[in-house]
Amino acid sequence: MTDHPALLLHGPVVLDPETGTELGDALLVDPDGTVAAVGSRADVMETLPGTDPPPREVRATGYALPGLINMHVHLGLALPGAMSQGWDTEDDAQTVLVMADSAARTLRAGVTTARLVGESRYLDMTLRAAIRRGAVPGPRLFTAGHALCCTGGHGWEADALEADGADGFARATRLQLRAGADLVKVCISGGIAGEHEDIDTPQLTDAELAAVIDTAHAWGKQVTAHAGSSETVRAALALGLDGVEHGYSLDEETIAMMVERGTWYVPTISVSRCRDFFELHEVPQWMIDRALSAGPEHWATLQRAVAAGVRIVMGSDMPPYAPFEGTTATVREMELMQEAGMSAREVLRSATSRAAEWLGAPGLGRLLPGSPADLVLIEDDPSTDVSALRGLRAVVSGGRVVRDDHDELGAWGTT
Ligand SMILES: [Zn+2]
């Protein structure tokens, strides 16, 4: 017998984006925060041994789906302009507080898992540990530590770790692994946020990139690359790169190579069409111009990738909770992916089970027995239109209620 009874969420239709099916209208959650059973109310009650106390039952309506996984997040994002004012970005204490605030907001936006692809001074490891301990609220974090770049390369102003030469990049990679990185992020071409570069500026030699990839792979970690152009991506794929971020301009040949190799793609399509967000944060005009000018080709690239069947996962790059076009950056990113040709189900997969596959975390992104009880509640069925996520009203993480706009989960209790 356990001290605390299990919880039974009864009423919402439980969706499984991986299979595109409805699992039932009852979800039994163990006191340890994992899903014990899912199905009809009678089905899940049958799984309880007679000696257990009856579950505490919570009634709700609408739809429940796995908590979202956002695969391109910077919790300490400080773009030039208003975002980095009033905050000494060199100061660890100030920075980790900004990151913790961002993590809490991310979780409340329904993002129960985030992949971090470039933070500062290993503060992401500190925060990851604090979230795991339950000391501060936040999503489950998978983090790259510092992004890596060449001297003066993309991201250097934002604390990407600069290295040069194959030995330098091997060491930079090992430093991230030593600190506890779950993956490695490397910037192999220019980007939007670098003043002295173009999006298609190649930045690493083959020997440098091979050092990163071979080192990470030897330690069982994947490598994803900030990459803008076809040439840089093709060279990197030949060296064994696992994932591409942004891919502002990828031609058919490059896309075909990604399909053949099973390369992952995180389009972050919002970043080349977010004028309002940039203007709100007063980022420099050159950055806005560069971002928006990449828009049409970035969009065409995403459409090519969708049509060809590239493995796409969702990442916003903007803060996941940032208000954007009437919703959050995360939900808007998903809407844009659907507008670019993905089915609603594929978009939902890209932000749940498919992302979990990249992370090597098979229980995540689904609500099956043994999965963490990470879920969001929404009013309408998102199966044909992901805009239904605009109606997100409650979030549960590891069996704990972290947001409950309508006070409907009150009986869930505070654990
Ligand atoms: Zn980024």
Side-chain angles (χ1 to χ4, degrees):
M1 251 172 79
T2 50
D3 292 340
H4 302 287
L7 287 157
L8 175 62
L9 176 63
H10 183 206
V13 177
V14 181
L15 299 177
D16 182 35
E18 178 59 25
T19 55
T21 56
E22 299 179 354
L23 300 177
D25 67 349
L27 190 76
L28 188 67
V29 178
D30 263 343
D32 72 357
T34 59
V35 174
V38 59
S40 69
R41 191 178 181 286
D43 288 344
V44 304
M45 290 303 283
E46 251 177 39
T47 66
L48 282 172
T51 52
D52 274 6
R56 205 159 57 219
E57 187 161 339
V58 172
R59 294 276 318 180
T61 58
Y63 292 80
L65 71 156
L68 303 175
I69 303 178
N70 191 320
M71 295 288 279
H72 192 120
V73 175
H74 307 279
L75 292 176
L77 184 70
L79 293 174
M83 253 184 148
S84 45
Q85 279 163 18
W87 158 28
D88 178 0
T89 56
E90 309 273 301
D91 182 274
D92 284 357
Q94 291 188 41
T95 301
V96 82
L97 285 169
V98 167
M99 292 170 68
D101 176 56
S102 188
R105 291 170 192 257
T106 295
L107 182 60
R108 286 176 50 78
V111 174
T112 53
T113 299
R115 193 187 68 160
L116 308 182
V117 287
E119 300 290 346
S120 294
R121 305 182 299 278
Y122 310 108
L123 298 170
D124 43 329
M125 314 298 176
T126 309
L127 182 61
R128 184 182 61 186
I131 291 171
R132 278 186 191 155
R133 279 202 309 278
V136 292
R140 297 171 200 282
L141 297 182
F142 291 78
T143 187
H146 281 272
L148 311 180
C149 70
C150 64
T151 293
H154 180 75
W156 77 270
E157 312 96 322
D159 248 353
L161 186 64
E162 293 172 299
D164 294 289
D167 287 351
F169 271 96
R171 175 169 166 74
T173 304
R174 289 180 182 130
L175 286 172
Q176 307 319 303
L177 298 170
R178 181 176 76 179
D182 300 297
L183 64 138
V184 173
K185 158 85 177 295
V186 59
C187 302
I188 64 173
S189 75
I192 285 169
E195 190 169 6
H196 308 296
E197 62 191 22
D198 292 317
I199 279 172
D200 59 359
T201 307
Q203 299 194 337
L204 265 62
T205 65
D206 283 1
E208 289 171 331
L209 184 53
V212 174
I213 293 171
D214 294 349
T215 303
H217 284 179
W219 290 62
K221 306 298 182 189
Q222 296 190 71
V223 180
T224 197
H226 165 106
S229 72
S230 294
E231 291 69 26
T232 48
V233 168
R234 281 203 302 273
L237 293 177
L239 296 171
L241 181 71
D242 303 296
V244 172
E245 309 295 308
H246 317 302
Y248 297 113
S249 176
L250 304 178
D251 59 20
E252 296 283 0
E253 184 189 344
T254 310
I255 296 279
M257 216 170 147
M258 290 171 71
V259 172
E260 187 193 314
R261 288 163 191 257
T263 311
W264 297 91
Y265 179 37
V266 188
T268 71
I269 193 67
S270 303
V271 301
S272 61
R273 44 202 7 90
C274 59
R275 177 191 293 279
D276 292 355
F277 172 79
F278 284 139
E279 287 181 350
L280 178 71
H281 294 287
E282 298 168 10
V283 310
Q285 191 60 43
W286 63 261
M287 192 188 286
I288 298 178
D289 293 344
R290 184 168 328 150
L292 301 181
S293 71
E297 179 56 18
H298 193 192
W299 188 260
T301 292
L302 175 54
Q303 289 187 313
R304 283 193 282 271
V306 171
V310 173
R311 295 203 289 183
I312 296 174
V313 287
M314 186 277 294
S316 63
D317 209 355
M318 285 199 268
Y321 55 86
F324 182 43
E325 297 182 344
T327 181
T328 62
T330 298
V331 172
R332 189 68 192 120
E333 177 74 21
M334 293 172 72
E335 289 177 338
L336 288 167
M337 291 164 84
Q338 187 175 348
E339 285 168 33
M342 289 173 79
S343 67
R345 183 190 151 206
E346 280 302 316
V347 176
L348 293 171
R349 277 181 80 202
S350 80
T352 55
S353 53
R354 184 158 254 191
E357 191 185 336
W358 197 102
L359 296 170
L364 277 185
R366 306 190 73 179
L367 290 169
L368 301 178
S371 295
D374 294 356
L375 62 94
V376 297
L377 285 186
I378 56 180
E379 200 58 49
D380 299 316
D381 187 356
S383 302
T384 54
D385 185 354
V386 297
S387 289
L389 283 159
R390 287 179 175 242
L392 187 145
R393 63 178 203 260
V395 181
V396 173
S397 169
R400 287 168 174 240
V401 178
V402 296
R403 171 173 168 184
D404 185 16
D405 293 358
H406 297 181
D407 289 331
E408 63 201 310
L409 302 181
W412 197 299
T414 45
T415 47

